[in-house]
Amino acid sequence: MLLAIDCGNTNTVFSIWDGEKFLATWRTATMHQRTADQYYVWLTTLMNLTGVNVDIDEVIVSTTVPRVVFNLRVFADRYFGCRPLVVGKPECRLPVDVRVDAGTQVGPDRLVNTVAGYDLHGGDLIVVDFGTATTFDVVAADGAYIGGVIAPGVNLSLEALHLAAAALPHVDVTRPEKVVGTNTVECMQSGVFWGYVGLIGGICSKIREERDRPMKVIATGGLAPLFQQGDTLFDAFEDNLTMHGLTVINKYNKDNPAS
């Protein structure tokens, strides 16, 4: 049984994969101080509460927070008797090429999303991920990662606006009833919502123009369904895109062992 772990800047997701489907998925706040023992107690408590009594013998990790890798390695080794695959490390091979400038380090989450997007939808894709940052990953016709765009995340932008302007409150991200707000909260919500609709549509349009070909737009991340309401921005929404990519990468490494 495979345990797939996606550790982002804000949250860490654990999913158990039985080879055909995800049996369960749990989320916790990302904390680099969390020890291997704490991970185990948290995970096994949730497994027992939900009746997911399985033997885990494989672990794969994708993380944008390098400091968590050591404790996750100890966690996998101590409690499941295996060395985890870590996306981005030399021992973890990818089923797609990465064609960027020499010396460029691509975030593991972006590589995993590329693999998943290509596996599910083929090539010529733009994968939009609503995380701490809003990222656009460009996938070539053959599935290669060829670059992308990084913009501030929606919640990050709202937090920065609140912190930088003392008179502006913290507001939730939602679709406003009208574009022109008649109070401060509505004005802020409209600016963020329709501003990001314009940002997403504009960037995807420029990518298509630069690539000079049709490209599907695949969305993932918690706020993607909200922004799909604003316009026909996306061709598809994949809630478990990153976790699916981890299962594909794990299988690829099993089927193509290092010589």
Side-chain angles (χ1 to χ4, degrees):
M1 204 72 67
L2 173 67
L3 175 63
I5 303 173
D6 173 35
C7 181
N9 291 299
T10 305
N11 292 315
T12 299
V13 180
F14 288 67
S15 289
I16 297 177
W17 174 256
D18 70 357
E20 296 182 357
K21 63 184 182 298
F22 289 109
L23 300 180
T25 296
W26 301 288
R27 186 181 300 266
T28 184
T30 298
M31 296 173 56
H32 71 270
Q33 306 97 325
R34 187 173 281 128
T35 67
D37 300 331
Q38 288 173 313
Y39 279 120
Y40 183 72
V41 169
W42 173 81
L43 180 63
T44 53
T45 298
L46 288 171
M47 290 173 66
N48 290 332
L49 285 172
T50 53
V52 181
N53 299 310
V54 297
D55 293 325
I56 294 168
D57 55 11
E58 297 176 279
V59 179
I60 184 168
V61 177
S62 169
T63 179
T64 57
V65 186
R67 287 190 292 178
V68 306
V69 173
F70 175 78
N71 283 329
L72 287 173
R73 284 191 188 276
V74 173
F75 163 70
D77 177 64
R78 179 178 296 167
Y79 293 107
F80 305 122
C82 66
R83 180 176 178 82
L85 272 176
V86 180
V87 179
K89 299 297 183 182
E91 65 271 17
C92 182
R93 296 175 304 285
L94 299 175
V96 300
D97 289 334
V98 180
R99 296 199 287 266
V100 294
D101 294 344
T104 300
Q105 210 167 21
V106 181
D109 55 330
R110 307 183 75 180
L111 298 176
V112 174
N113 284 348
T114 294
V115 169
Y118 182 63
D119 183 69
L120 293 171
H121 298 280
D124 286 328
L125 299 179
I126 303 168
V127 180
V128 184
D129 189 353
F130 290 85
T132 304
T134 300
T135 59
F136 300 73
D137 300 318
V138 182
V139 184
D142 64 352
Y145 174 85
I146 56 173
V149 177
I150 301 175
V154 179
N155 286 312
L156 191 64
S157 295
L158 269 175
E159 189 66 23
L161 189 61
H162 169 63
L163 291 174
L168 296 180
H170 180 79
V171 300
D172 294 328
V173 184
T174 187
R175 178 179 179 170
E177 294 183 5
K178 52 189 179 180
V179 176
V180 180
T182 54
N183 57 63
T184 302
V185 170
E186 287 181 356
C187 290
M188 292 176 66
Q189 289 174 332
S190 183
V192 170
F193 182 83
W194 292 110
Y196 270 85
V197 168
L199 180 145
I200 295 160
I203 288 178
C204 290
S205 176
K206 297 299 290 185
I207 292 172
R208 288 190 181 103
E209 180 183 324
E210 187 170 283
R211 296 286 295 159
D212 193 24
R213 66 186 64 198
M215 301 188 76
K216 290 181 181 178
V217 180
I218 311 302
T220 191
L223 290 175
L226 172 66
F227 282 93
Q228 179 69 344
Q229 300 176 44
D231 205 345
T232 309
L233 292 174
F234 315 125
D235 295 291
F237 166 66
E238 298 289 350
D239 189 30
N240 290 319
L241 188 71
T242 304
M243 307 314 286
H244 177 77
L246 287 173
T247 70
V248 174
I249 293 170
N250 186 72
K251 185 176 186 304
Y252 179 79
N253 281 266
K254 286 176 65 177
D255 294 344
N256 300 274
S259 55

